[in-house]
Coordinates of all heavy atoms in Angstrom, one line a residue:
T1 N 0.2 17.3 30.9 CA -1.1 16.7 31.0 C -2.1 17.4 31.9 O -3.2 17.7 31.6 CB -1.1 15.2 31.4 OG1 -0.3 14.5 30.4 CG2 -2.5 14.6 31.3
D2 N -1.5 17.8 33.1 CA -2.3 18.6 34.1 C -2.7 19.9 33.5 O -3.8 20.4 33.7 CB -1.5 18.8 35.3 CG -1.3 17.5 36.1 OD1 -2.2 16.6 36.0 OD2 -0.3 17.3 36.8
E3 N -1.7 20.6 32.8 CA -2.0 21.9 32.2 C -3.1 21.8 31.1 O -3.9 22.7 31.0 CB -0.7 22.6 31.7 CG -1.0 24.0 31.3 CD 0.2 24.8 30.8 OE1 1.3 24.2 30.7 OE2 0.1 26.0 30.7
L4 N -3.0 20.8 30.4 CA -4.1 20.6 29.3 C -5.4 20.6 30.0 O -6.4 21.3 29.6 CB -3.9 19.3 28.6 CG -2.8 19.3 27.5 CD1 -2.7 17.9 26.8 CD2 -3.0 20.3 26.4
A5 N -5.6 19.8 31.1 CA -6.9 19.8 31.8 C -7.2 21.1 32.4 O -8.4 21.4 32.5 CB -6.8 18.7 32.9
E6 N -6.2 21.9 32.7 CA -6.5 23.2 33.3 C -6.9 24.3 32.3 O -7.9 25.0 32.5 CB -5.2 23.7 34.0 CG -5.3 25.1 34.6 CD -4.0 25.5 35.1 OE1 -3.2 24.6 35.6 OE2 -3.6 26.7 35.0
V7 N -6.3 24.2 31.1 CA -6.6 25.3 30.1 C -7.7 24.9 29.1 O -8.4 25.8 28.5 CB -5.3 25.7 29.3 CG1 -4.3 26.1 30.3 CG2 -4.9 24.6 28.4
L8 N -8.0 23.7 28.9 CA -9.0 23.2 27.8 C -10.3 23.8 28.1 O -11.0 24.3 27.1 CB -9.1 21.7 27.7 CG -8.0 21.1 26.8 CD1 -8.1 19.6 26.9 CD2 -8.2 21.5 25.3
P9 N -10.9 23.9 29.3 CA -12.3 24.4 29.5 C -12.4 25.9 28.9 O -13.5 26.2 28.4 CB -12.5 24.4 31.0 CG -11.6 23.3 31.4 CD -10.4 23.3 30.6
Q10 N -11.4 26.7 29.0 CA -11.6 28.0 28.5 C -11.6 28.1 27.0 O -12.1 29.2 26.4 CB -10.4 28.9 29.0 CG -9.1 28.7 28.3 CD -7.9 29.5 28.9 OE1 -7.5 29.2 30.1 NE2 -7.5 30.5 28.3
W11 N -11.2 27.0 26.3 CA -11.3 27.0 24.8 C -12.4 26.1 24.3 O -12.5 25.8 23.1 CB -9.9 26.5 24.3 CG -8.8 27.4 24.6 CD1 -7.8 27.2 25.5 CD2 -8.6 28.7 24.0 NE1 -6.9 28.3 25.5 CE2 -7.4 29.2 24.6 CE3 -9.2 29.5 23.0 CZ2 -6.8 30.5 24.3 CZ3 -8.6 30.7 22.7 CH2 -7.4 31.2 23.4
L12 N -13.3 25.7 25.2 CA -14.4 24.8 24.9 C -15.7 25.4 25.2 O -16.4 24.9 26.2 CB -14.2 23.4 25.5 CG -13.0 22.6 24.9 CD1 -12.8 21.3 25.7 CD2 -13.3 22.2 23.4
P13 N -16.2 26.4 24.6 CA -17.4 27.0 24.9 C -18.6 26.1 24.7 O -18.5 25.2 23.7 CB -17.5 28.3 24.1 CG -16.6 28.0 22.9 CD -15.5 27.1 23.5
G14 N -19.7 26.2 25.3 CA -20.8 25.3 25.3 C -21.7 25.4 24.0 O -22.4 24.5 23.6
N15 N -21.5 26.5 23.2 CA -22.3 26.8 22.1 C -21.6 26.5 20.7 O -22.1 26.9 19.7 CB -22.8 28.2 22.1 CG -21.6 29.2 22.0 OD1 -20.5 28.9 22.3 ND2 -22.0 30.5 21.7
E16 N -20.5 25.9 20.8 CA -19.7 25.6 19.5 C -19.5 24.1 19.3 O -19.6 23.3 20.2 CB -18.4 26.3 19.6 CG -18.4 27.8 19.4 CD -17.1 28.4 18.9 OE1 -16.5 27.8 18.0 OE2 -16.7 29.4 19.6
A17 N -19.2 23.8 18.0 CA -18.9 22.3 17.7 C -17.4 22.2 17.8 O -16.7 22.9 16.9 CB -19.4 22.0 16.3
S18 N -16.8 21.5 18.7 CA -15.4 21.4 18.9 C -14.9 20.0 18.7 O -15.6 19.0 18.9 CB -15.1 21.8 20.3 OG -15.5 23.2 20.6
L19 N -13.6 20.0 18.2 CA -12.9 18.7 18.1 C -11.5 18.9 18.7 O -10.8 19.9 18.4 CB -12.7 18.3 16.6 CG -11.7 17.2 16.3 CD1 -12.2 15.9 16.9 CD2 -11.5 17.1 14.8
V20 N -11.2 18.1 19.7 CA -9.9 18.1 20.4 C -9.1 16.9 20.0 O -9.5 15.8 20.2 CB -10.1 18.2 21.9 CG1 -8.7 18.4 22.6 CG2 -11.1 19.3 22.3
L21 N -7.9 17.2 19.4 CA -7.1 16.1 19.0 C -5.9 15.9 19.9 O -5.1 16.9 20.2 CB -6.6 16.4 17.6 CG -7.7 16.4 16.4 CD1 -7.0 16.9 15.1 CD2 -8.3 15.1 16.3
F22 N -5.7 14.7 20.3 CA -4.6 14.4 21.2 C -3.5 13.5 20.4 O -3.9 12.8 19.5 CB -5.1 13.5 22.4 CG -5.9 14.3 23.3 CD1 -7.3 14.5 23.1 CD2 -5.4 15.0 24.5 CE1 -8.1 15.2 24.0 CE2 -6.2 15.6 25.3 CZ -7.5 15.8 25.1
A23 N -2.3 13.6 20.9 CA -1.2 12.9 20.2 C -1.2 11.4 20.7 O -0.5 10.6 20.0 CB 0.1 13.6 20.5
S24 N -1.8 11.1 21.8 CA -1.8 9.7 22.3 C -3.1 9.4 23.0 O -3.7 10.3 23.6 CB -0.6 9.5 23.3 OG -0.8 10.3 24.5
Y25 N -3.4 8.1 23.0 CA -4.6 7.7 23.6 C -4.6 7.8 25.1 O -5.6 8.2 25.8 CB -4.9 6.2 23.2 CG -6.3 5.7 23.6 CD1 -7.4 6.0 22.8 CD2 -6.5 5.0 24.7 CE1 -8.7 5.6 23.1 CE2 -7.7 4.5 25.1 CZ -8.8 4.8 24.3 OH -10.1 4.3 24.6
W26 N -3.4 7.5 25.7 CA -3.3 7.6 27.2 C -3.5 8.9 27.7 O -4.2 9.2 28.7 CB -2.0 6.9 27.7 CG -0.8 7.8 27.4 CD1 0.1 7.7 26.4 CD2 -0.4 8.9 28.3 NE1 1.0 8.7 26.5 CE2 0.8 9.4 27.7 CE3 -0.9 9.5 29.4 CZ2 1.4 10.5 28.2 CZ3 -0.2 10.5 30.0 CH2 1.0 11.0 29.4
Q27 N -2.9 9.9 27.0 CA -3.0 11.3 27.4 C -4.5 11.8 27.3 O -5.0 12.5 28.2 CB -2.1 12.2 26.6 CG -2.0 13.6 27.2 CD -0.8 14.3 26.6 OE1 -0.7 14.6 25.4 NE2 0.2 14.7 27.5
M28 N -5.2 11.4 26.2 CA -6.5 11.8 26.1 C -7.4 11.2 27.2 O -8.2 12.0 27.8 CB -7.1 11.2 24.7 CG -8.6 11.5 24.6 SD -9.2 10.8 23.0 CE -9.2 9.0 23.4
E29 N -7.2 10.0 27.6 CA -7.9 9.4 28.7 C -7.7 10.0 30.0 O -8.6 10.2 30.9 CB -7.7 7.9 28.8 CG -8.4 7.0 27.7 CD -9.9 7.1 27.8 OE1 -10.4 7.3 28.9 OE2 -10.5 6.8 26.8
A30 N -6.4 10.4 30.3 CA -6.0 11.1 31.5 C -6.7 12.4 31.6 O -7.1 12.8 32.6 CB -4.5 11.2 31.5
V31 N -6.7 13.1 30.5 CA -7.3 14.5 30.5 C -8.9 14.3 30.7 O -9.5 15.1 31.4 CB -7.0 15.3 29.2 CG1 -7.8 16.5 29.1 CG2 -5.5 15.6 29.1
V32 N -9.5 13.4 30.0 CA -10.9 13.2 30.2 C -11.3 13.0 31.6 O -12.2 13.5 32.2 CB -11.3 12.0 29.3 CG1 -12.8 11.5 29.7 CG2 -11.3 12.3 27.8
K33 N -10.5 12.1 32.3 CA -10.7 11.9 33.7 C -10.6 13.1 34.5 O -11.4 13.4 35.4 CB -9.8 10.8 34.2 CG -10.0 10.2 35.6 CD -9.1 9.1 35.9 CE -9.4 7.9 35.1 NZ -8.6 6.7 35.5
K34 N -9.6 13.9 34.3 CA -9.4 15.2 35.0 C -10.5 16.2 34.8 O -10.7 17.1 35.6 CB -8.0 15.8 34.7 CG -6.9 14.9 35.2 CD -5.5 15.5 34.8 CE -4.3 14.7 35.2 NZ -4.2 14.6 36.6
L35 N -11.1 16.1 33.6 CA -12.1 17.1 33.2 C -13.6 16.7 33.6 O -14.5 17.5 33.2 CB -12.0 17.4 31.7 CG -10.8 18.2 31.3 CD1 -10.8 18.3 29.7 CD2 -10.9 19.6 31.8

């Protein structure tokens, strides 16, 4: 979960339309908080 929060910014440029799919709701919320 910590590594997801670390690497996601490099794959989410500000000029694109992005969809990030998580396998669980709790992990999504944890990553959102860290980001």
Side-chain angles (χ1 to χ4, degrees):
T1 301
D2 291 330
E3 188 177 7
L4 284 180
E6 179 185 324
V7 304
L8 275 173
Q10 73 187 74
W11 297 106
L12 291 170
N15 61 344
E16 288 202 45
S18 300
L19 169 63
V20 185
L21 293 174
F22 293 84
S24 65
Y25 190 81
W26 74 263
Q27 191 165 65
M28 178 181 72
E29 285 293 337
V31 171
V32 168
K33 189 174 292 185
K34 292 176 184 293
L35 286 176

